[in-house]
Amino acid sequence: NNKHGIVCVCSCRSCSAGPRTAADGRNLKKDRKEIDSEIKLLLLGAGESGKSTIFKQMKIIHHNAFKPQDCLQFKQIIYANILQSMRVLVAAAQKMGIPVEPHNRDRAQRIMSFSEAQLNHNIIAIMIPDMGHDIASLWRDSGITQAFKRRAEFQLNDSAEYYFNDIERICVPNYIPTRQDVLRSRVKTVGITEEEFEIDGHRF
């Protein structure tokens, strides 16, 4: 407090802890050196540009991440990606006036019949082997093939083809996602995600 009525309050550790010792100074220098040697990388890009994929690849390479028990956590995300992608293709075919083959009409209608609430809360129960057969049959459908060739005209996950080609393996009761399945999964990233890595003695 001074004659001008100005009060300065500091709550930092160095002030509240009393007089600074030589050890404190050495610790501060050490901390500063560690901070200065840390390399910060910021991944920026539009949606679907691959930021999360790079992030997951770094975790696999440097943290040996996504062991089988970790991959199981992505099962619901992967199932949602698959069903949503096929729904997008069926909707796009309808909008473009491209009919599906007669034997697939019921399958297309079945896939489009689910509500958003069902997709959000019951996706594991929905993605039974029979649903896998429906998706596989639609993926081979000439109308869906035409719509897929025109995918530049609408938004479709770039992982759709990968999952559709492996749908029989994925739609089994004891399915455990592989690391490649996890890498291909897509979920909207909200906010900032941080991770620490050490590469050749350098902290990132």
Side-chain angles (χ1 to χ4, degrees):
N1 200 345
N2 58 28
K3 63 181 181 180
H4 298 293
I6 300 172
V7 178
C8 181
V9 178
C10 180
S11 61
C12 68
R13 186 179 301 174
S14 59
C15 292
S16 60
R20 184 179 299 174
T21 65
D24 291 332
R26 287 194 295 271
N27 289 335
L28 286 171
K29 287 181 180 179
K30 182 181 177 182
D31 291 344
R32 172 56 62 187
K33 186 176 181 181
E34 288 179 357
I35 292 171
D36 289 343
S37 64
E38 195 174 75
I39 302 169
K40 292 180 173 63
L41 299 176
L42 179 62
L43 295 178
L44 295 173
E48 297 290 322
S49 61
K51 301 181 298 298
S52 296
T53 301
I54 292 174
F55 199 74
K56 284 184 280 192
Q57 288 172 329
M58 292 287 286
K59 290 178 73 173
I60 288 173
I61 294 169
H62 299 290
H63 283 176
N64 194 27
F66 304 124
K67 295 180 174 64
Q69 63 269 26
D70 302 321
C71 291
L72 267 175
Q73 299 175 18
F74 286 82
K75 186 174 181 177
Q76 187 167 338
I77 294 171
I78 291 167
Y79 279 171
N81 286 172
I82 293 169
L83 195 53
Q84 290 284 18
S85 293
M86 185 51 73
R87 283 161 62 89
V88 166
L89 279 172
V90 170
Q94 292 173 347
K95 187 175 181 180
M96 294 172 179
I98 304 172
V100 297
E101 296 169 16
H103 67 279
N104 277 328
R105 288 172 186 166
D106 286 345
R107 292 186 173 95
Q109 187 175 2
R110 206 159 33 238
I111 280 175
M112 298 303 290
S113 68
F114 296 108
S115 67
E116 286 299 320
Q118 287 176 304
L119 296 178
N120 290 334
H121 301 294
N122 299 318
I123 191 68
I124 298 294
I126 291 171
M127 293 294 283
I128 58 176
D130 285 348
M131 180 56 65
H133 297 326
D134 285 352
I135 292 172
S137 182
L138 282 166
W139 180 233
R140 294 189 295 265
D141 187 277
S142 60
I144 295 299
T145 299
Q146 288 182 55
F148 181 74
K149 288 179 179 178
R150 295 173 60 181
R151 61 190 179 278
E153 300 175 33
F154 54 92
Q155 188 170 2
L156 179 70
N157 278 348
D158 58 2
S159 57
E161 183 175 13
Y162 168 83
Y163 287 134
F164 292 153
N165 287 336
D166 253 355
I167 192 65
E168 303 289 355
R169 171 182 66 84
I170 293 172
C171 272
V172 293
N174 60 347
Y175 164 64
I176 298 176
T178 65
R179 281 181 167 180
Q180 190 61 225
D181 295 343
V182 171
L183 279 175
R184 301 274 186 160
S185 67
R186 296 291 178 266
V187 61
K188 186 177 181 179
T189 304
V190 179
I192 298 173
T193 304
E194 295 184 5
E195 191 74 29
E196 291 186 0
F197 303 98
E198 186 165 330
I199 306 172
D200 295 333
H202 299 288
R203 288 181 61 194
F204 289 82

PDB file of all heavy atoms in Angstrom, residues 8 16 20 22-23 25 27 31 63 67 85 94 102 110 112 138-139 143 146 156 165 170 196 202-203:
ATOM      1  N   CYS A   8      -0.921  -3.816  -4.284  1.00  0.00           N
ATOM      2  CA  CYS A   8      -0.418  -4.862  -5.183  1.00  0.00           C
ATOM      3  C   CYS A   8      -0.383  -6.171  -4.408  1.00  0.00           C
ATOM      4  O   CYS A   8       0.245  -6.262  -3.358  1.00  0.00           O
ATOM      5  CB  CYS A   8       0.978  -4.503  -5.689  1.00  0.00           C
ATOM      6  SG  CYS A   8       1.652  -5.748  -6.817  1.00  0.00           S
ATOM      7  N   SER A  16       4.643 -16.002  -1.926  1.00  0.00           N
ATOM      8  CA  SER A  16       3.931 -16.454  -0.738  1.00  0.00           C
ATOM      9  C   SER A  16       4.777 -17.375   0.119  1.00  0.00           C
ATOM     10  O   SER A  16       4.504 -17.562   1.293  1.00  0.00           O
ATOM     11  CB  SER A  16       2.632 -17.162  -1.147  1.00  0.00           C
ATOM     12  OG  SER A  16       2.915 -18.281  -1.967  1.00  0.00           O
ATOM     13  N   ARG A  20      13.312 -16.132  -1.276  1.00  0.00           N
ATOM     14  CA  ARG A  20      13.754 -17.162  -2.212  1.00  0.00           C
ATOM     15  C   ARG A  20      15.151 -17.637  -1.844  1.00  0.00           C
ATOM     16  O   ARG A  20      16.036 -16.828  -1.586  1.00  0.00           O
ATOM     17  CB  ARG A  20      13.743 -16.589  -3.630  1.00  0.00           C
ATOM     18  CG  ARG A  20      14.087 -17.618  -4.690  1.00  0.00           C
ATOM     19  CD  ARG A  20      14.049 -17.005  -6.073  1.00  0.00           C
ATOM     20  NE  ARG A  20      12.722 -16.501  -6.398  1.00  0.00           N
ATOM     21  CZ  ARG A  20      12.453 -15.817  -7.493  1.00  0.00           C
ATOM     22  NH1 ARG A  20      13.421 -15.530  -8.344  1.00  0.00           N
ATOM     23  NH2 ARG A  20      11.232 -15.390  -7.731  1.00  0.00           N
ATOM     24  N   ALA A  22      18.636 -20.219  -2.607  1.00  0.00           N
ATOM     25  CA  ALA A  22      19.454 -20.595  -3.767  1.00  0.00           C
ATOM     26  C   ALA A  22      18.857 -21.810  -4.466  1.00  0.00           C
ATOM     27  O   ALA A  22      18.888 -21.924  -5.693  1.00  0.00           O
ATOM     28  CB  ALA A  22      20.888 -20.877  -3.316  1.00  0.00           C
ATOM     29  N   ALA A  23      18.294 -22.724  -3.645  1.00  0.00           N
ATOM     30  CA  ALA A  23      17.676 -23.932  -4.216  1.00  0.00           C
ATOM     31  C   ALA A  23      16.482 -23.564  -5.084  1.00  0.00           C
ATOM     32  O   ALA A  23      16.256 -24.144  -6.147  1.00  0.00           O
ATOM     33  CB  ALA A  23      17.251 -24.879  -3.099  1.00  0.00           C
ATOM     34  N   GLY A  25      16.091 -20.816  -6.735  1.00  0.00           N
ATOM     35  CA  GLY A  25      16.617 -20.259  -7.980  1.00  0.00           C
ATOM     36  C   GLY A  25      17.045 -21.348  -8.937  1.00  0.00           C
ATOM     37  O   GLY A  25      16.801 -21.266 -10.142  1.00  0.00           O
ATOM     38  N   ASN A  27      15.909 -24.422  -9.004  1.00  0.00           N
ATOM     39  CA  ASN A  27      14.712 -25.109  -9.490  1.00  0.00           C
ATOM     40  C   ASN A  27      14.009 -24.315 -10.580  1.00  0.00           C
ATOM     41  O   ASN A  27      13.512 -24.878 -11.559  1.00  0.00           O
ATOM     42  CB  ASN A  27      13.740 -25.360  -8.325  1.00  0.00           C
ATOM     43  CG  ASN A  27      14.252 -26.434  -7.369  1.00  0.00           C
ATOM     44  OD1 ASN A  27      15.043 -27.293  -7.757  1.00  0.00           O
ATOM     45  ND2 ASN A  27      13.789 -26.387  -6.120  1.00  0.00           N
ATOM     46  N   ASP A  31      13.318 -25.550 -14.299  1.00  0.00           N
ATOM     47  CA  ASP A  31      11.977 -25.545 -14.892  1.00  0.00           C
ATOM     48  C   ASP A  31      11.951 -24.753 -16.189  1.00  0.00           C
ATOM     49  O   ASP A  31      11.344 -25.163 -17.176  1.00  0.00           O
ATOM     50  CB  ASP A  31      10.963 -24.946 -13.907  1.00  0.00           C
ATOM     51  CG  ASP A  31      10.730 -25.847 -12.702  1.00  0.00           C
ATOM     52  OD1 ASP A  31      11.102 -27.036 -12.768  1.00  0.00           O
ATOM     53  OD2 ASP A  31      10.193 -25.347 -11.681  1.00  0.00           O
ATOM     54  N   HIS A  63       3.426 -44.191 -27.942  1.00  0.00           N
ATOM     55  CA  HIS A  63       2.872 -44.606 -26.653  1.00  0.00           C
ATOM     56  C   HIS A  63       2.391 -46.050 -26.672  1.00  0.00           C
ATOM     57  O   HIS A  63       1.859 -46.532 -25.677  1.00  0.00           O
ATOM     58  CB  HIS A  63       1.717 -43.706 -26.242  1.00  0.00           C
ATOM     59  CG  HIS A  63       2.153 -42.378 -25.713  1.00  0.00           C
ATOM     60  ND1 HIS A  63       1.260 -41.386 -25.362  1.00  0.00           N
ATOM     61  CD2 HIS A  63       3.385 -41.848 -25.473  1.00  0.00           C
ATOM     62  CE1 HIS A  63       1.913 -40.318 -24.939  1.00  0.00           C
ATOM     63  NE2 HIS A  63       3.200 -40.579 -25.008  1.00  0.00           N
ATOM     64  N   LYS A  67      -4.303 -50.798 -27.360  1.00  0.00           N
ATOM     65  CA  LYS A  67      -4.290 -52.245 -27.166  1.00  0.00           C
ATOM     66  C   LYS A  67      -5.725 -52.745 -27.274  1.00  0.00           C
ATOM     67  O   LYS A  67      -6.667 -51.952 -27.274  1.00  0.00           O
ATOM     68  CB  LYS A  67      -3.682 -52.585 -25.802  1.00  0.00           C
ATOM     69  CG  LYS A  67      -2.208 -52.212 -25.684  1.00  0.00           C
ATOM     70  CD  LYS A  67      -1.666 -52.564 -24.313  1.00  0.00           C
ATOM     71  CE  LYS A  67      -0.158 -52.337 -24.244  1.00  0.00           C
ATOM     72  NZ  LYS A  67       0.217 -50.933 -24.423  1.00  0.00           N
ATOM     73  N   SER A  85     -22.823 -43.825 -42.642  1.00  0.00           N
ATOM     74  CA  SER A  85     -22.291 -43.727 -44.007  1.00  0.00           C
ATOM     75  C   SER A  85     -23.219 -44.389 -45.011  1.00  0.00           C
ATOM     76  O   SER A  85     -23.450 -43.856 -46.109  1.00  0.00           O
ATOM     77  CB  SER A  85     -20.895 -44.351 -44.079  1.00  0.00           C
ATOM     78  OG  SER A  85     -19.959 -43.592 -43.337  1.00  0.00           O
ATOM     79  N   GLN A  94     -31.284 -41.678 -53.453  1.00  0.00           N
ATOM     80  CA  GLN A  94     -32.680 -41.255 -53.590  1.00  0.00           C
ATOM     81  C   GLN A  94     -32.760 -39.831 -54.141  1.00  0.00           C
ATOM     82  O   GLN A  94     -33.562 -39.545 -55.032  1.00  0.00           O
ATOM     83  CB  GLN A  94     -33.381 -41.344 -52.237  1.00  0.00           C
ATOM     84  CG  GLN A  94     -33.573 -42.772 -51.733  1.00  0.00           C
ATOM     85  CD  GLN A  94     -34.109 -42.837 -50.306  1.00  0.00           C
ATOM     86  OE1 GLN A  94     -34.128 -41.824 -49.590  1.00  0.00           O
ATOM     87  NE2 GLN A  94     -34.537 -44.016 -49.874  1.00  0.00           N
ATOM     88  N   PRO A 102     -34.213 -54.062 -56.955  1.00  0.00           N
ATOM     89  CA  PRO A 102     -35.458 -54.473 -56.275  1.00  0.00           C
ATOM     90  C   PRO A 102     -35.235 -55.300 -54.998  1.00  0.00           C
ATOM     91  O   PRO A 102     -35.925 -55.086 -53.998  1.00  0.00           O
ATOM     92  CB  PRO A 102     -36.186 -55.290 -57.345  1.00  0.00           C
ATOM     93  CG  PRO A 102     -35.717 -54.696 -58.639  1.00  0.00           C
ATOM     94  CD  PRO A 102     -34.271 -54.336 -58.398  1.00  0.00           C
ATOM     95  N   ARG A 110     -35.068 -50.314 -44.366  1.00  0.00           N
ATOM     96  CA  ARG A 110     -34.779 -50.697 -42.984  1.00  0.00           C
ATOM     97  C   ARG A 110     -33.677 -49.811 -42.401  1.00  0.00           C
ATOM     98  O   ARG A 110     -33.757 -49.351 -41.261  1.00  0.00           O
ATOM     99  CB  ARG A 110     -34.365 -52.176 -42.960  1.00  0.00           C
ATOM    100  CG  ARG A 110     -34.615 -52.870 -41.680  1.00  0.00           C
ATOM    101  CD  ARG A 110     -34.695 -54.373 -41.775  1.00  0.00           C
ATOM    102  NE  ARG A 110     -33.862 -54.994 -42.774  1.00  0.00           N
ATOM    103  CZ  ARG A 110     -34.340 -55.771 -43.759  1.00  0.00           C
ATOM    104  NH1 ARG A 110     -35.652 -55.957 -43.875  1.00  0.00           N
ATOM    105  NH2 ARG A 110     -33.531 -56.337 -44.622  1.00  0.00           N
ATOM    106  N   MET A 112     -32.851 -46.817 -43.297  1.00  0.00           N
ATOM    107  CA  MET A 112     -33.291 -45.432 -43.163  1.00  0.00           C
ATOM    108  C   MET A 112     -34.353 -45.256 -42.083  1.00  0.00           C
ATOM    109  O   MET A 112     -34.709 -44.133 -41.744  1.00  0.00           O
ATOM    110  CB  MET A 112     -33.829 -44.920 -44.501  1.00  0.00           C
ATOM    111  CG  MET A 112     -32.795 -44.901 -45.626  1.00  0.00           C
ATOM    112  SD  MET A 112     -31.331 -43.913 -45.242  1.00  0.00           S
ATOM    113  CE  MET A 112     -32.028 -42.262 -45.268  1.00  0.00           C
ATOM    114  N   LEU A 138     -26.216 -53.961 -49.861  1.00  0.00           N
ATOM    115  CA  LEU A 138     -26.363 -52.616 -50.421  1.00  0.00           C
ATOM    116  C   LEU A 138     -25.050 -52.105 -51.008  1.00  0.00           C
ATOM    117  O   LEU A 138     -25.048 -51.414 -52.031  1.00  0.00           O
ATOM    118  CB  LEU A 138     -26.865 -51.656 -49.335  1.00  0.00           C
ATOM    119  CG  LEU A 138     -28.358 -51.733 -49.010  1.00  0.00           C
ATOM    120  CD1 LEU A 138     -28.674 -51.001 -47.719  1.00  0.00           C
ATOM    121  CD2 LEU A 138     -29.202 -51.171 -50.163  1.00  0.00           C
ATOM    122  N   TRP A 139     -23.943 -52.438 -50.380  1.00  0.00           N
ATOM    123  CA  TRP A 139     -22.635 -51.993 -50.868  1.00  0.00           C
ATOM    124  C   TRP A 139     -22.343 -52.573 -52.252  1.00  0.00           C
ATOM    125  O   TRP A 139     -21.654 -51.957 -53.064  1.00  0.00           O
ATOM    126  CB  TRP A 139     -21.555 -52.387 -49.867  1.00  0.00           C
ATOM    127  CG  TRP A 139     -20.153 -52.005 -50.229  1.00  0.00           C
ATOM    128  CD1 TRP A 139     -19.062 -52.829 -50.285  1.00  0.00           C
ATOM    129  CD2 TRP A 139     -19.658 -50.701 -50.574  1.00  0.00           C
ATOM    130  NE1 TRP A 139     -17.934 -52.127 -50.632  1.00  0.00           N
ATOM    131  CE2 TRP A 139     -18.271 -50.817 -50.828  1.00  0.00           C
ATOM    132  CE3 TRP A 139     -20.268 -49.451 -50.699  1.00  0.00           C
ATOM    133  CZ2 TRP A 139     -17.484 -49.725 -51.183  1.00  0.00           C
ATOM    134  CZ3 TRP A 139     -19.478 -48.365 -51.074  1.00  0.00           C
ATOM    135  CH2 TRP A 139     -18.113 -48.513 -51.309  1.00  0.00           C
ATOM    136  N   GLY A 143     -26.990 -49.353 -57.781  1.00  0.00           N
ATOM    137  CA  GLY A 143     -27.413 -47.981 -57.519  1.00  0.00           C
ATOM    138  C   GLY A 143     -26.546 -47.304 -56.474  1.00  0.00           C
ATOM    139  O   GLY A 143     -26.145 -46.134 -56.637  1.00  0.00           O
ATOM    140  N   GLN A 146     -23.248 -46.393 -58.013  1.00  0.00           N
ATOM    141  CA  GLN A 146     -23.310 -45.143 -58.782  1.00  0.00           C
ATOM    142  C   GLN A 146     -23.255 -43.927 -57.858  1.00  0.00           C
ATOM    143  O   GLN A 146     -22.558 -42.943 -58.142  1.00  0.00           O
ATOM    144  CB  GLN A 146     -24.595 -45.098 -59.600  1.00  0.00           C
ATOM    145  CG  GLN A 146     -24.634 -46.046 -60.784  1.00  0.00           C
ATOM    146  CD  GLN A 146     -25.932 -45.888 -61.570  1.00  0.00           C
ATOM    147  OE1 GLN A 146     -26.277 -44.780 -62.002  1.00  0.00           O
ATOM    148  NE2 GLN A 146     -26.662 -46.977 -61.739  1.00  0.00           N
ATOM    149  N   LEU A 156     -19.356 -37.587 -47.352  1.00  0.00           N
ATOM    150  CA  LEU A 156     -19.305 -38.985 -46.928  1.00  0.00           C
ATOM    151  C   LEU A 156     -17.969 -39.222 -46.246  1.00  0.00           C
ATOM    152  O   LEU A 156     -16.922 -38.791 -46.745  1.00  0.00           O
ATOM    153  CB  LEU A 156     -19.450 -39.910 -48.138  1.00  0.00           C
ATOM    154  CG  LEU A 156     -19.396 -41.418 -47.860  1.00  0.00           C
ATOM    155  CD1 LEU A 156     -20.646 -41.875 -47.103  1.00  0.00           C
ATOM    156  CD2 LEU A 156     -19.249 -42.201 -49.165  1.00  0.00           C
ATOM    157  N   ASN A 165     -16.032 -52.710 -47.036  1.00  0.00           N
ATOM    158  CA  ASN A 165     -15.319 -53.867 -47.587  1.00  0.00           C
ATOM    159  C   ASN A 165     -15.029 -54.938 -46.534  1.00  0.00           C
ATOM    160  O   ASN A 165     -14.783 -56.097 -46.877  1.00  0.00           O
ATOM    161  CB  ASN A 165     -14.001 -53.421 -48.234  1.00  0.00           C
ATOM    162  CG  ASN A 165     -14.212 -52.703 -49.547  1.00  0.00           C
ATOM    163  OD1 ASN A 165     -15.233 -52.891 -50.218  1.00  0.00           O
ATOM    164  ND2 ASN A 165     -13.258 -51.863 -49.931  1.00  0.00           N
ATOM    165  N   ILE A 170     -16.625 -57.155 -39.261  1.00  0.00           N
ATOM    166  CA  ILE A 170     -16.950 -56.175 -38.219  1.00  0.00           C
ATOM    167  C   ILE A 170     -18.278 -56.485 -37.526  1.00  0.00           C
ATOM    168  O   ILE A 170     -18.415 -56.287 -36.316  1.00  0.00           O
ATOM    169  CB  ILE A 170     -16.957 -54.762 -38.822  1.00  0.00           C
ATOM    170  CG1 ILE A 170     -15.530 -54.366 -39.247  1.00  0.00           C
ATOM    171  CG2 ILE A 170     -17.515 -53.740 -37.846  1.00  0.00           C
ATOM    172  CD1 ILE A 170     -15.439 -53.078 -40.033  1.00  0.00           C
ATOM    173  N   GLU A 196       1.450 -35.540 -24.684  1.00  0.00           N
ATOM    174  CA  GLU A 196       2.896 -35.349 -24.593  1.00  0.00           C
ATOM    175  C   GLU A 196       3.614 -36.561 -25.180  1.00  0.00           C
ATOM    176  O   GLU A 196       3.237 -37.697 -24.929  1.00  0.00           O
ATOM    177  CB  GLU A 196       3.333 -35.146 -23.138  1.00  0.00           C
ATOM    178  CG  GLU A 196       2.874 -33.821 -22.545  1.00  0.00           C
ATOM    179  CD  GLU A 196       3.436 -33.584 -21.149  1.00  0.00           C
ATOM    180  OE1 GLU A 196       4.185 -34.463 -20.654  1.00  0.00           O
ATOM    181  OE2 GLU A 196       3.124 -32.541 -20.552  1.00  0.00           O
ATOM    182  N   HIS A 202      13.688 -35.522 -27.148  1.00  0.00           N
ATOM    183  CA  HIS A 202      13.015 -34.222 -27.241  1.00  0.00           C
ATOM    184  C   HIS A 202      11.560 -34.370 -26.804  1.00  0.00           C
ATOM    185  O   HIS A 202      10.871 -35.315 -27.214  1.00  0.00           O
ATOM    186  CB  HIS A 202      13.067 -33.684 -28.669  1.00  0.00           C
ATOM    187  CG  HIS A 202      14.450 -33.461 -29.185  1.00  0.00           C
ATOM    188  ND1 HIS A 202      15.242 -32.426 -28.741  1.00  0.00           N
ATOM    189  CD2 HIS A 202      15.190 -34.143 -30.102  1.00  0.00           C
ATOM    190  CE1 HIS A 202      16.431 -32.482 -29.367  1.00  0.00           C
ATOM    191  NE2 HIS A 202      16.408 -33.513 -30.192  1.00  0.00           N
ATOM    192  N   ARG A 203      11.108 -33.450 -25.983  1.00  0.00           N
ATOM    193  CA  ARG A 203       9.719 -33.478 -25.523  1.00  0.00           C
ATOM    194  C   ARG A 203       8.838 -32.669 -26.459  1.00  0.00           C
ATOM    195  O   ARG A 203       9.156 -31.543 -26.820  1.00  0.00           O
ATOM    196  CB  ARG A 203       9.627 -32.901 -24.102  1.00  0.00           C
ATOM    197  CG  ARG A 203      10.193 -33.801 -23.037  1.00  0.00           C
ATOM    198  CD  ARG A 203      10.032 -33.175 -21.659  1.00  0.00           C
ATOM    199  NE  ARG A 203       8.624 -32.975 -21.352  1.00  0.00           N
ATOM    200  CZ  ARG A 203       8.199 -32.205 -20.355  1.00  0.00           C
ATOM    201  NH1 ARG A 203       9.065 -31.535 -19.616  1.00  0.00           N
ATOM    202  NH2 ARG A 203       6.918 -32.081 -20.107  1.00  0.00           N
TER     203      ARG A 203
END
